[in-house]
Amino acid sequence: MEEVADVSVENVFDAERRAAKIQERLQKRHESRVKDAERRREDKESHAVAEEQSEYFSSTFGAERASIEELLSGCSGVERSVGTERLEEATAKTAQLQKFLNDSTMFLTPHVLEKAQTALQKLQASLAEIREELLPKKRFAFRSRTKATDDVSATAAAAPDTPSPAAASASGSVNQVDGAAAPEQCGFSNMDGVSLTKTAEDIQRRDVLLSHLTNCRVRMHGSPSTLHLKHIDGCEILCGPVSSSVFVDQCKNSTLAFPCQQLRTHNTTDTHVYLHVTSRAIIEDCRGVGFAPFTWSYPTLEEDFAASGLDQERNNWSQVDDFNWLAAGTPSPNWTVILEADRKTSWD
C-alpha cells in the first residue's frame, strides 16, 4: 500500500510539473504576442510621424518657395531701390529655406530631398541673374587680379571636364536646366605643383569643379552651391561651407577640409577628410580614408556659414556609411577616425 501511495504522489508531482511547464510556455507566448503587437504599433506610429513630417516639409517648403518667387517677380519694372530691397528680402528668405532643408534631411526620402535641392538651386540661380541685372558688376573690378591668377582662371575655364561648352568660355556663361538658369560652374583643372585660390566673389553660390590636380594647394573662401573633386592626387584642398553636396571621385594621398550638407566619396584611397556635415557622409569603393572634425578657419567663415544655411551646431562627421560594408555591428575597415594626436591643427 505504501508503494502504491508513493507512486500516486509521484504522479501528482509529475502532473503539476507538466502543468507548470505548459503554463510557462503559454505565458511566454502571451508575452511574445504582446511585444509583437507593441512593436507593430510603434512602427505604425513612427511611419505616421515620418509621413506627417514629410507632408509638413513639402507644404512649408512649397509655400516659402512661392513667396520667394513672388518677390523675385516683383523686382522687375520698378524703381531700382525697390527692386534691390525685394531682392535682399528674397536672398534672406532663400538662406532660411536652405537652412530649413538642411535641418529636415534626416527624415526626407531621397526623391523629396533631390526635388527640393533642385528647386532651391533654381531659386539661387534666379537670384544671381536678377542681382546681375539690378547690380551689375563693374568690369574694372576684376583687373586687380594678378596675371598668374588670370592665367589659372583661363586654363580652368577651358578644362575638358567642364560639363558644357557654354561654361568653358572665359567669361563663364550660365547653363540652362529645364528652362531656368542653373548656377555657374568654375574651378581649376590640369594643374601640377601650384598654389590656387578662389575668393568668395569667384565661387559664391556656384558649382565648383576641381579636376586632374596633382601636388596642389587649394584655398577657396566663400559658399559654393556644390563642390566636385575628380582625379586628385597629393593635394591639400580647403573650402568654405558648401550649401548642398560635395562629390569626391578618384582621390588619393590628399587632405580635404570643408563643411557641407552631404558628402559622397567614391574610389578614394589614403585620404584625410576634415569634415562638417549636417546629414551623412557616404563612401563607396574606398580604403584608408580618415575622418576628423572640420577645423580650418578664415576671417569670413561665419558669414559664409550663414550664407550656406548649414547648421553650425550639427556635425555628423563621424557618422559614415560604407556602401561596401554591410556587416551589422562590425566597423568598416575602409575608414577610421583620425586620432586627435594625428590631426592637423595648423593650416596656413
Side-chain angles (χ1 to χ4, degrees):
M1 292 293 294
E2 290 181 0
E3 291 180 358
V4 172
D6 290 341
V7 170
S8 298
V9 170
E10 288 180 3
N11 290 337
V12 170
F13 286 157
D14 288 341
E16 290 178 350
R17 283 195 294 269
R18 287 195 297 272
K21 288 182 178 179
I22 292 172
Q23 183 65 27
E24 183 180 356
R25 286 198 298 270
L26 290 173
Q27 181 64 25
K28 287 182 178 179
R29 185 180 301 173
H30 173 70
E31 291 175 355
S32 177
R33 287 175 176 172
V34 170
K35 288 181 180 179
D36 288 342
E38 181 68 17
R39 185 165 51 249
R40 287 195 297 271
R41 184 183 66 80
E42 290 177 354
D43 290 344
K44 185 177 180 180
E45 290 179 354
S46 176
H47 182 68
V49 169
E51 285 187 344
E52 184 178 345
Q53 287 176 326
S54 182
E55 289 176 1
Y56 170 76
F57 170 83
S58 296
S59 61
T60 304
F61 186 92
E64 287 299 312
R65 176 189 175 187
S67 174
I68 295 169
E69 289 174 341
E70 184 178 354
L71 280 171
L72 292 176
S73 65
C75 292
S76 303
V78 296
E79 293 183 4
R80 181 175 177 179
S81 59
V82 176
T84 301
E85 183 179 347
R86 291 175 180 173
L87 177 64
E88 293 308 317
E89 183 180 354
T91 301
K93 281 180 169 288
T94 302
Q96 292 172 355
L97 191 60
Q98 176 74 68
K99 187 176 187 307
F100 177 58
L101 173 59
N102 293 344
D103 292 341
S104 305
T105 54
M106 300 301 289
F107 61 80
L108 296 180
T109 64
H111 172 71
V112 173
L113 178 59
E114 183 178 358
K115 186 177 178 181
Q117 287 177 335
T118 301
L120 197 54
Q121 287 181 352
K122 289 181 179 179
L123 282 179
Q124 291 168 345
S126 297
L127 278 170
E129 184 178 358
I130 294 174
R131 185 179 296 277
E132 182 64 26
E133 293 176 0
L134 289 174
L135 307 170
K137 298 176 184 177
K138 297 179 180 179
R139 294 186 180 277
F140 65 79
F142 295 95
R143 292 179 183 172
S144 62
R145 293 159 65 177
T146 63
K147 183 178 184 301
T149 305
D150 291 339
D151 291 343
V152 166
S153 298
T155 305
D161 280 26
T162 303
S164 69
S169 66
S171 59
S173 58
V174 179
N175 299 324
Q176 297 292 322
V177 179
D178 295 333
E184 295 179 73
Q185 188 173 79
C186 65
F188 301 111
S189 294
N190 302 305
M191 301 285 176
D192 189 348
V194 294
S195 294
L196 305 167
T197 302
K198 285 286 186 185
T199 66
E201 185 179 49
D202 296 328
I203 70 172
Q204 204 75 354
R205 301 199 179 283
R206 298 177 72 182
D207 292 336
V208 176
L209 169 64
L210 305 182
S211 67
H212 297 89
L213 302 183
T214 303
N215 299 322
C216 292
R217 183 175 180 267
V218 184
R219 300 288 187 271
M220 296 186 291
H221 305 84
S223 177
S225 175
T226 58
L227 174 61
H228 299 259
L229 307 179
K230 298 181 180 180
H231 301 284
I232 306 297
D233 185 4
C235 295
E236 182 179 87
I237 298 174
L238 314 182
C239 182
V242 181
S243 61
S244 57
S245 298
V246 175
F247 301 94
V248 181
D249 190 20
Q250 299 291 345
C251 178
K252 60 182 179 180
N253 305 318
S254 296
T255 299
L256 315 175
F258 40 72
C260 62
Q261 177 189 341
Q262 186 180 63
L263 169 65
R264 292 182 177 271
T265 306
H266 299 271
N267 306 303
T268 293
T269 58
D270 302 322
T271 292
H272 282 182
V273 182
Y274 290 80
L275 181 65
H276 183 111
V277 61
T278 56
S279 58
R280 305 284 289 190
I282 296 171
I283 65 172
E284 188 173 12
D285 299 323
C286 297
R287 61 176 176 80
V289 180
F291 288 91
F294 176 79
T295 56
W296 183 45
S297 181
Y298 55 91
T300 60
L301 179 61
E302 293 294 327
E303 299 172 19
D304 293 337
F305 255 112
S308 72
L310 297 177
D311 186 352
Q312 285 186 263
E313 301 302 318
R314 178 193 292 177
N315 187 4
N316 302 323
W317 65 271
S318 61
Q319 298 180 26
V320 180
D321 294 329
D322 184 356
F323 282 4
N324 295 112
W325 188 257
L326 304 178
T330 305
S332 166
N334 299 318
W335 72 274
T336 59
V337 170
I338 303 172
L339 298 176
E340 290 192 20
D342 298 332
R343 292 176 188 174
K344 191 175 179 67
T345 57
S346 177
W347 297 97
D348 297 303

